Amino acid sequence: MSDFIPPAKPLIGDEERAAVDRVLRSGMIAQGPEVKAFEQEFSEHFKLGRACVAVNSGTSGLHLGLLSAGVKAGDEVIVPSFTFAATANAVALTGATPVFADISADDFCLDPTAAEAAITDKTVGIMPVHLYGHPAKMEQLMQIGRDRGLHVFEDAAQAHGAALNGTPVGAFGTFAMFSLYPTKNMTSGEGGMVSVADAEMERNVRLYRNQGMEQQYHNEVVGLNNRMTDINAAIGRVQLTKVDAWTKQRQDNAAFLTANLDGVTPPPVADGAVHVYHQYTIRVHDDRDGLAKALKEEYNIGSGMFYPVPNHRLKPFQADVDLPATELAARECLSLPVHPSVTQADLERIVSAVNTLAKAGA
Ligand SMILES: *Cc1c(COP(=O)(O)O)cnc(C)c1O
């Protein structure tokens, strides 16, 4: 059988290894100059026009961003249910309640109309997810935020470099979080980057990241240790020099798949949106699970289901809400390999396999 085509593949090169070695040899490996440089370079690279604060994971970034905005027990934050559980977990960890709203069928992201309908007198914020690397409908969501006096927070875990009508994701909300987990579009090993709208948010995230201290041993709030190490930052700085080429490769791979797949629905791209294809997610209308199984067993092609169980049905949340677009997407979504290591021959194998299976009714 042909070689396995994995659904994701982190890319770590000699430059990353040399950068780690440089930090290890320096003897100073905890948060230090590498982290500071990475924060500045990340903000500049993605033209965010705002400060960034590095933390030890994307989930920590969401948690600290929410704490920094004052989200607390008794509050509600509106989130999509069709996302990784970290989105809702971060809200719940502040003591607030994640309130699940439906997605739009045309971009897999939070539906502004559904989000607005979920607002109560306890709502303090709305946190869309730029799912799969496609920007959420930020203009409408920001307008709702302004009209109703609510924060908008961005879960940009999957969307490094995505943009909407010329504005990069991460430059809209009170804060935004980019994940740097190994399978994301760029990595620092583990890590997260928080972009912040103003100096007060920046100060708060820095405080919560480090036990509530700006000045050592003069703790101002109850904080955590969610610092990034210089080892991780050194990896991230190298990845920043490569991520644009990887994104271009993802987009080229996606364009080929969209032009050639037949019998399944390719991922939509909104007008004015730059999609960075963290995932290339098709809809399989008949038997998604059967198609995924056959891809693996008959063609040695990996795929992913993001996400088969919507958050509102997960054990910790169990919300009694009716989210038809979410339920349908959870049944139909299938992510095909699109990462930069996928070759032209791989793409041709994927197209041929999916088209054959789709024609046969999976
Ligand atoms: C990966 C991811 C997170 C969490 O990021 P970690 O770095 O793994 O903690 C949060 N939200 C979404 C949508 C993600 O894909």
Side-chain angles (χ1 to χ4, degrees), residues 29-238:
I29 59 181
Q31 181 185 298
E34 294 282 339
V35 169
K36 187 160 190 271
F38 185 31
E39 291 175 342
Q40 280 164 7
E41 289 162 9
F42 191 96
S43 173
E44 282 160 23
H45 187 89
F46 293 112
K47 302 186 170 59
L48 297 175
R50 36 166 83 187
C52 285
V53 184
V55 292
N56 62 344
S57 76
T59 307
S60 302
L62 291 177
H63 186 206
L64 298 197
L66 292 164
L67 290 174
S68 297
V71 175
K72 58 183 190 315
D75 293 343
E76 292 177 357
V77 176
I78 296 164
V79 294
S81 174
F82 192 60
T83 173
F84 184 48
T87 313
N89 280 346
V91 173
L93 284 169
T94 68
T97 303
V99 172
F100 298 103
D102 214 351
I103 54 168
S104 308
D106 64 359
D107 62 6
F108 294 107
C109 297
L110 188 64
D111 174 4
T113 307
E116 186 159 31
I119 295 172
T120 72
D121 56 8
K122 293 185 180 144
T123 307
V124 296
I126 305 173
M127 186 152 69
V129 179
H130 305 301
L131 199 72
Y132 306 143
H134 187 287
K137 295 184 172 69
M138 291 314 294
E139 286 147 8
Q140 290 99 308
L141 290 163
M142 293 302 293
Q143 189 60 50
I144 294 167
R146 282 190 293 274
D147 291 347
R148 307 294 290 262
L150 304 173
H151 288 290
V152 177
F153 311 121
E154 300 175 68
D155 182 336
Q158 306 182 353
H160 317 66
L164 187 62
N165 295 320
T167 302
V169 306
F172 288 96
T174 302
F175 79 85
M177 175 282 286
F178 296 87
S179 170
L180 299 166
Y181 183 74
T183 58
K184 298 290 158 74
N185 287 24
M186 61 174 282
T187 185
S188 61
E190 288 266 13
M193 193 63 84
V194 186
S195 76
V196 287
D198 58 41
E200 190 189 342
M201 277 296 293
E202 181 183 356
R203 182 162 194 276
N204 287 345
V205 177
R206 292 188 188 285
L207 277 178
Y208 282 115
R209 175 177 69 175
N210 187 31
Q211 314 279 9
M213 298 187 290
E214 181 174 293
Q215 196 191 338
Q216 202 163 22
Y217 309 130
H218 291 72
N219 306 56
E220 299 174 43
V221 295
V222 176
L224 296 117
N225 172 1
N226 285 350
R227 296 182 303 258
M228 177 180 278
T229 72
D230 264 17
I231 303 169
N232 295 96
I235 298 171
R237 291 180 70 193
V238 174

Side-chain angles (χ1 to χ4, degrees), residues 98 127 163 183 242 274 293 315 320:
M127 186 152 69
T183 58
K242 304 180 176 182
V274 174
K293 189 159 178 279
K315 195 173 167 203
D320 183 18

Side-chain angles (χ1 to χ4, degrees), residues 334-349:
L334 188 69
S335 299
L336 302 174
V338 74
H339 53 86
S341 301
V342 173
T343 64
Q344 182 61 29
D346 293 339
L347 291 170
E348 284 164 20
R349 261 176 69 198

